Amino acid sequence: MPAPSMGRLSLHPTPRLARYLIPALAVLHGNPLPALQLAALSCTGGRRASIRRFLSTRVPFALSPWRLVVFTAPPMLLSLIRLVAIVLFFVWRVRHPYADGMWLWWISMVGDLWFGVTWLLNQVAKLNPVKRVPNLALLEQQFDLPDGNSNLPCLDVFINTVDPINEPMIYTMNSIISILAADYPVDKHACYLSDDGGSIIHYDGLLETAKFAALWVPFCRKHSIEPRAPESYFSLNTRPYTGNAPQDFVNDRRHMCREYDEFKERLDALFTLIPKRSDVYNHAAAKEGAKATWMADGTQWPGTWIDPAENHKKGQHVGIVKVMLKHPSYEPELGLGASTNSPLDFSAVDVRLPMLVYISREKSPSCDHQKKAGAMNVQLRVSALLTNAPFIINFDGDHYVNNSKAFRAGICFMLDRREGDNTAFVQFPQRFDDVDPTDRYCNHNRVFFDATLLGLNGIQGPSYVGTGCMFRRVALYGVDPPRWRPDDVKIVDSSTKFGSSASFISSILPAADQERSIMSPPALEESVMADLAHVMTCAYEDGTEWGSDVGWVYNIATEDVVTGFRLHRNGWRSMYCRMEPDAFAGTAPINLTERLYQILRWSGGSLEMFFSRNCPLLAGRRLHPMQRIAYANMTAYPVSSVFLVFYLLFPVIWIFRGQFYIQKPFPTYVLYLVIVIALTELIGMVEIKWAGLTLLDWIRNEQFYIIGATAVYPTAVFHIVLKLFGLKGVSFKLTAKQVASSTSDKFAELYAVQWAPMLIPTMVVIAVNVCAIGASIGKAIVGGWSLMQMADAGLGLVFNAWILVLIYPFALGMIGRWSKRPYILFILFVIAFILIALVDIAIQAMRSGFVRFHFKSSGGATFPTSWGL
C-alpha cells in the first residue's frame, strides 16, 4: 500500500532526494507524477474521459482548461529534463572510469544501473494517473425507492480477528457496530466475524455488541451520526449536526454516552465473568479432568477453552457457526417512543439490524491453516451458503467504517455500465487513528495511497492492500471477466476445483448475478448446519484449487497483493476510490520495532512473489503491459537496499585510509548531482501539490524509506536467498495491534524500546556517519587545509549530516522516553562528535609524536574529499 515501486510494500514508491544524495547515481531515482487526468463518474465510476468530456461532466470540483494545462505540463516537462540529465550523467560516468578504487567504481556502476532501471520502470506506471469520483446522489436516484426500500445489490462484510488480547476486542466490536450502522439497506448486507482463535470472549462480546447496537444504530439513523463507530465518535470534540431531531440530540447523546461506557465495562468484565461462570458449572458437573469453558446458556463452549484440553485449544477445535442477529424483515420496523425505562424516542426510526454471524473454522494440529487467507476462504464458503451476496468487502479487526456511505461508493464502481462488469475489486485508501501528530514512522503512508494508487488507477487498477476492499464474489472464485469470457462458457466447469459441497457449487451461478437485490438466508435446519460444518473442515480444500486459483492465495506473507495480482492476471481490473470524509479508518503500529516487523513481512513477501509462480514476468497477455511493469517493480524493490547500504557505509573506507575518490573529476561529478537534485526537488514539490500532500508527508516518506532500506530490506533479501536454496527462510512476526491506553499516556508505545536484531544495521549506519563527522572535525583541527580541501570536506559533511537527518526518526526511537525532548538527541550527537574528534586527534598525535594546531592556505594534512557521493 505501499518499490521504489508500486506498493504499500515499500512505503513509498520512490524516495527522491534521499536517493540522489546517497548513491553515486541514485539520481536515477525519482517519483514524478507527470500527467493528471481526472475522470468523473456517473453513479458508478467509469473509464477516464477525455479532457473535453471531463470538463463537461459534473464533478465535485471544476477546472478551467487553462488551469488544467498548468496542472499537467510542469511534471511532464521536468521529468523529461531530468531524464536527459540522468542519461548525460550516466554516459559521462561510463566515459570517465576514473577512481581511486576501480573495484568500488564497478560496484557503484552496477548499483547505478539497477537504480536507473527501477526508476524507468517506476515512471511507466505513472504516465496516466486517473482520479474517479462516485456520484452518490445519482446512485440514490436510480436505486432507492420512494417507499424506503432499495434495489441495491446485496453485500457481505468480512471481519477477521484472532486474539482478544493482542487485538483489543474494543476495536473489533467498534468495527462491527460501524458496519451494522452503515448507510446501506439493512436487509441487503450481512456481517461475518471470523474468530480464528475460537475464543468465547469474542462470542460473548458479540452478544453484548448486538444488544448495544439495538440502541446505537437507531440513534445514528435518527441523528445522522458520523462516524458511526462509537469509540471514534465520542472522541471527537465537536461535529456539525445534520440530523432531523435537534431538540432531542443533546439528551440522546448524553444517554448513549452512558450506554457506551457501560458497554465497555461489560466487555472488560467478560475476562473475569466467563472464568467464574465456568467454575460454577464445572463445580456443579463434578466431573474430573479438564475444566470446561461454559456458555451462558449452560452448554460447553465448542471452541478454545480457558484451560486448554484435547479438541478445545488453539489450533484444535471444531468449526463453529452462530447466527447472532437473524436476517431482518424486508419492511421497515419503527421503534418505540420514549418511556421511563428508555428515554430514547425511536418511534419514527427504523430499528432493524443487519444479519450478524460468528464463525470459527475447524482447526487441527495436522493441517496448515494458512492464517488470514485460510480464514477468509472459509468465510467465503460459509457466506455463500447463507447470504451469497454478489459483492464482498473485507476488514481487519481494527478497521471501522468512518463514512457511513462508503459501501454505496464502492457499489458505484461495481455497477458502472462501462467498466463495472470487468471490475474485480474497489480499493479504498487506508487511514489511521491514534498516530502521533508528527507521524514519526510514516504510518499514514500518504504518498502511496494518495499518489501512487492514482497512477495504477490509470492502467489496470490499484493493487489490493489487505483491508477496506470491495470484491466481486465470482472474481474470487477464479471466473474470467466478461471481456475475456466467451458467451457459451460455463462458470462452474469442475466440481473438484471448488470442493465436494454440492450446496456451495450450486451457489456459484446465483452469485454471478450482480443485480440480485434480495438476500434470503435459508433456515438453519440440520441439513444446512451439516453443509456449513462440511465447508469449514480442515480437509475440505484437499485436492481443490482453493488458495491457488480460487479465493485468497496461500503460502506467501503478502497474500493480499498476490490475490489482487491473480485477479489482474486473469484480465480483471480494479478501481481506486477516495472520498471525503475518509471511507474507513483503523489503528497502526506506532512502536518502531513493530513497524519494522510490518515492513519486513511486506518486503519479504514481495520478493517471494517475484520468485514464485506469481512472478509478474510470467503472467499471460491479459495483464496490461504497464501493469506488469508496475508489479515487477513492486516485487523486486528490496534488492535496491544492497546498493544503498554499500553507499551508506562507504565512509568507513576514508576514515581508515584517508583521501579516496569514487569518481573523478570530482567537480564535474558534483555539478551533475546538483542539477539532478534540483530537478528532483522541483518535481517533488509539484507532486505534493498535485496529490494534496503536505511537506511533512513527503519528508517522513523519505526518512522511513532509508530506515527500511537499512533495517529491513537486507533481511528480506537474505530471506529469499535462503528460500532459493531450499532452506526455511526468515519467520515473519505478525504485527501487534496498538493497545488502547489512557489519554494521559496516549502514545506510550511510541516511546517503548523493543530490541530486535534487525535494528543493528541501521545503528551501524548511524555510528559510521557520526564517526565520519567527528573524524573530519579532528582532522580539520590538526591539519592545515586549502580552500579547495575545505570545500570538498564540506560536501562530505553535507552527505553525512543528511544521512543522519534521514535516519533521525530511528535514532529518536532508540532513545525511548528521552525522545519526548528531541533536543536531547541533538545534544548526544554533539557530544559524540566532540569525543570522536578528540580520539582522532589523539590517534594522530600518537602517530606523529606531536600535534600542530594550525590552518593555512595550502599544505597541512590531507583530508578525504569523496565519501561516496
Side-chain angles (χ1 to χ4, degrees):
M1 264 320 311
S5 76
M6 302 319 316
R8 63 139 173 84
L9 300 181
S10 68
L11 294 179
H12 175 244
T14 312
R16 291 164 301 275
L17 184 58
R19 294 203 181 182
Y20 288 111
L21 288 174
I22 295 172
L25 196 65
V27 291
L28 290 180
H29 272 287
N31 187 23
L33 288 170
L36 171 66
Q37 294 188 16
L38 301 178
L41 304 179
S42 65
C43 71
T44 58
R47 304 181 69 179
R48 63 179 171 82
S50 64
I51 293 179
R52 181 179 299 276
R53 184 171 183 177
F54 160 71
L55 292 175
S56 65
T57 307
R58 294 177 59 189
V59 291
F61 42 85
L63 293 175
S64 68
W66 299 275
R67 189 175 300 176
L68 183 64
V69 170
V70 171
F71 217 49
T72 306
M76 292 279 289
L77 179 60
L78 292 174
S79 297
L80 181 60
I81 294 174
R82 185 176 61 178
L83 177 61
V84 172
I86 289 171
V87 172
L88 293 175
F89 190 16
F90 195 80
V91 171
W92 177 81
R93 287 210 66 190
V94 172
R95 291 181 176 178
H96 297 78
Y98 311 125
D100 289 334
M102 290 305 299
W103 61 279
L104 284 177
W105 185 90
W106 278 108
I107 291 176
S108 69
M109 287 301 295
V110 173
D112 295 345
L113 180 62
W114 172 263
F115 293 142
V117 170
T118 55
W119 176 78
L120 291 175
L121 295 179
N122 195 45
Q123 303 316 299
V124 170
K126 298 182 179 180
L127 293 177
N128 186 34
V130 171
K131 183 177 182 179
R132 294 179 172 89
V133 181
N135 191 329
L136 297 177
L138 187 56
L139 179 76
E140 180 179 353
Q141 176 185 333
Q142 293 188 0
F143 288 91
D144 289 351
L145 304 178
D147 61 359
N149 291 315
S150 175
N151 289 327
L152 285 170
C154 301
L155 176 67
D156 288 335
V157 186
F158 295 170
I159 305 177
N160 297 89
T161 189
V162 178
D163 191 328
I165 304 299
N166 291 334
E167 299 176 323
M169 188 167 58
I170 188 63
Y171 293 149
T172 304
M173 298 308 151
N174 264 269
S175 177
I176 293 170
I177 292 170
S178 69
I179 292 168
L180 298 179
D183 183 9
Y184 201 81
V186 66
D187 58 323
K188 298 183 187 298
H189 78 285
C191 178
Y192 292 84
L193 172 67
S194 173
D195 174 18
D196 225 25
S199 170
I200 192 174
I201 296 289
H202 282 132
Y203 175 77
D204 279 14
L206 271 188
L207 290 175
E208 294 293 342
T209 300
K211 295 176 185 177
F212 176 74
L215 295 176
W216 175 258
V217 173
F219 168 71
C220 291
R221 292 171 182 163
K222 178 180 178 180
H223 297 292
S224 300
I225 297 300
E226 296 288 348
R228 297 191 176 183
E231 186 71 20
S232 178
Y233 172 73
F234 288 121
S235 66
L236 298 175
N237 294 325
T238 57
R239 192 94 181 203
Y241 183 78
T242 58
N244 299 319
Q247 69 280 2
D248 297 336
F249 176 66
V250 174
N251 290 332
D252 286 359
R253 187 185 187 280
R254 185 180 297 113
H255 180 77
M256 286 308 307
C257 187
R258 289 196 301 267
E259 290 286 345
Y260 181 60
D261 289 338
E262 293 175 2
F263 166 67
K264 290 193 292 184
E265 291 175 1
R266 292 196 297 271
L267 289 183
D268 292 338
L270 290 177
F271 290 92
T272 56
L273 175 63
I274 294 175
K276 290 181 180 179
R277 180 178 69 201
S278 298
D279 288 341
V280 172
Y281 280 114
N282 286 323
H283 180 74
K287 292 183 179 180
E288 296 190 11
K291 294 182 178 180
T293 298
W294 294 77
M295 301 168 66
D297 61 2
T299 59
Q300 290 187 1
W301 174 244
T304 303
W305 287 354
I306 298 173
D307 295 321
E310 192 69 16
N311 297 321
H312 292 285
K313 57 186 177 181
K314 286 187 178 181
Q316 186 182 18
H317 57 78
V318 298
I320 308 170
V321 176
K322 300 284 187 180
V323 177
M324 316 298 290
L325 292 173
K326 295 182 178 180
H327 187 267
S329 63
Y330 296 104
E331 297 297 328
E333 297 178 4
L334 300 182
L336 301 176
S339 64
T340 305
N341 295 328
S342 177
L344 301 174
D345 182 7
F346 294 149
S347 58
V349 182
D350 185 0
V351 296
R352 293 176 298 164
L353 297 177
M355 187 174 180
L356 176 61
V357 182
Y358 173 90
I359 301 172
S360 184
R361 57 181 170 149
E362 183 188 53
K363 289 289 190 71
S364 171
S366 61
C367 295
D368 184 353
H369 302 106
Q370 300 295 341
K371 299 178 181 177
K372 178 181 174 181
M376 288 196 290
N377 282 339
V378 170
Q379 282 179 300
L380 198 59
R381 295 193 292 269
V382 170
S383 64
L385 299 184
L386 292 179
T387 50
N388 200 31
F391 302 108
I392 295 165
I393 189 165
N394 83 286
F395 292 97
D396 288 340
D398 60 337
H399 278 66
Y400 65 89
V401 180
N402 185 64
N403 187 329
S404 64
K405 296 185 181 298
F407 295 169
R408 290 174 174 263
I411 288 294
C412 279
F413 294 94
M414 290 295 192
L415 300 183
D416 179 23
R417 292 186 296 271
R418 293 161 289 187
E419 280 291 339
D421 290 344
N422 294 297
T423 298
F425 62 92
V426 179
Q427 180 63 63
F428 294 82
Q430 292 185 18
R431 298 290 188 252
F432 301 103
D433 297 330
D434 297 329
V435 174
D436 57 294
T438 61
D439 191 16
R440 181 190 291 180
Y441 302 133
C442 195
N443 283 289
H444 288 305
N445 203 3
R446 298 295 295 263
V447 174
F448 168 68
F449 285 114
D450 294 343
T452 302
L453 287 187
L454 294 184
L456 289 174
N457 204 32
I459 311 174
Q460 203 171 339
S463 57
Y464 168 43
V465 298
T467 185
C469 186
M470 181 178 289
F471 286 95
R472 186 179 300 275
R473 183 183 285 268
V474 293
L476 288 171
Y477 289 161
V479 177
D480 291 335
R483 71 171 65 177
W484 293 102
R485 186 170 69 228
D487 295 336
D488 58 347
V489 72
K490 293 182 179 180
I491 292 181
V492 183
D493 55 0
S494 171
S495 60
T496 59
K497 176 179 181 180
F498 301 103
S500 57
S501 172
S503 298
F504 174 75
I505 294 173
S506 63
S507 73
I508 295 176
L509 192 59
D513 182 11
Q514 71 173 23
E515 297 181 359
R516 183 169 57 87
S517 59
I518 297 177
M519 183 180 285
S520 53
L524 297 181
E525 300 174 348
E526 186 175 347
S527 60
V528 175
M529 295 303 295
D531 285 338
L532 291 172
H534 178 46
V535 298
M536 287 194 297
T537 58
C538 300
Y540 181 83
E541 297 178 353
D542 293 347
T544 70
E545 296 184 13
W546 286 96
S548 56
D549 294 326
V550 178
W552 278 265
V553 176
Y554 292 162
N555 297 315
I556 194 166
T558 50
E559 79 286 334
D560 47 5
V561 177
V562 180
T563 299
F565 166 75
R566 192 196 72 206
L567 297 174
H568 286 141
R569 182 185 62 192
N570 290 344
W572 292 95
R573 71 153 298 127
S574 59
M575 296 286 187
Y576 172 70
C577 179
R578 187 174 74 186
M579 58 189 305
E580 293 293 339
D582 295 319
F584 311 117
T587 60
I590 61 173
N591 179 267
L592 173 61
T593 306
E594 291 296 335
R595 178 65 166 140
L596 291 177
Y597 275 130
Q598 185 181 56
I599 304 305
L600 175 60
R601 189 175 72 255
W602 292 344
S603 56
S606 67
L607 284 176
E608 285 184 1
M609 177 179 169
F610 186 82
F611 291 98
S612 71
R613 62 186 291 265
N614 294 299
C615 178
L617 303 180
L618 304 178
R621 65 188 182 93
R622 295 185 182 182
L623 187 67
H624 193 286
M626 293 172 65
Q627 194 82 9
R628 185 191 309 270
I629 292 173
Y631 271 114
N633 205 17
M634 178 194 306
T635 54
Y637 71 90
V639 178
S640 299
S641 64
V642 175
F643 302 105
L644 287 174
V645 171
F646 161 76
Y647 286 114
L648 290 168
L649 297 178
F650 185 72
V652 170
I653 297 177
W654 68 259
I655 289 176
F656 294 101
R657 181 169 174 174
Q659 184 177 14
F660 197 92
Y661 289 94
I662 196 173
Q663 177 68 61
K664 299 177 180 179
F666 188 67
T668 308
Y669 179 70
V670 171
L671 178 61
Y672 273 114
L673 284 177
V674 170
I675 293 174
V676 179
I677 290 172
L679 291 172
T680 304
E681 289 284 355
L682 289 174
I683 293 174
M685 295 302 104
V686 172
E687 181 180 335
I688 290 174
K689 181 177 178 60
W690 177 87
L693 304 176
T694 66
L695 184 61
L696 181 61
D697 292 327
W698 184 60
I699 292 173
R700 287 290 185 249
N701 192 76
E702 297 285 330
Q703 289 175 324
F704 212 74
Y705 175 80
I706 298 303
I707 295 172
T710 54
V712 174
Y713 299 160
T715 306
V717 173
F718 178 65
H719 163 74
I720 197 60
V721 171
L722 293 177
K723 297 278 285 187
L724 291 176
F725 280 98
L727 301 176
K728 184 179 179 180
V730 178
S731 297
F732 297 130
K733 177 182 178 293
L734 293 180
T735 306
K737 305 297 183 182
Q738 186 181 158
V739 178
S741 58
S742 64
T743 305
S744 60
D745 201 15
K746 184 176 181 180
F747 302 117
E749 293 182 36
L750 181 69
Y751 308 111
V753 179
Q754 299 179 14
W755 172 253
M758 63 180 173
L759 302 176
I760 296 176
T762 311
M763 295 174 67
V764 171
V765 170
I766 293 176
V768 167
N769 285 275
V770 168
C771 289
I773 294 177
S776 67
I777 295 173
K779 289 178 172 58
I781 294 175
V782 172
W785 284 355
S786 66
L787 293 178
M788 181 61 70
Q789 287 175 317
M790 294 179 63
D792 289 348
L795 291 173
L797 289 175
V798 168
F799 168 81
N800 298 123
W802 181 245
I803 296 305
L804 295 179
V805 169
L806 291 174
I807 306 181
Y808 168 76
F810 179 93
L812 281 179
M814 287 294 95
I815 63 174
R817 292 192 170 274
W818 287 3
S819 65
K820 291 183 177 181
R821 300 174 178 84
Y823 64 83
I824 294 178
L825 180 62
F826 175 78
I827 294 174
L828 291 175
F829 275 143
V830 172
I831 294 174
F833 296 153
I834 295 173
L835 291 176
I836 294 169
L838 293 175
V839 171
D840 184 85
I841 293 172
I843 292 174
Q844 293 186 65
M846 287 187 294
R847 287 178 177 177
S848 61
F850 66 97
V851 180
R852 291 182 301 119
F853 295 86
H854 66 279
F855 293 87
K856 57 184 180 181
S857 60
S858 63
T862 302
F863 189 71
T865 56
S866 177
W867 302 344
L869 281 174

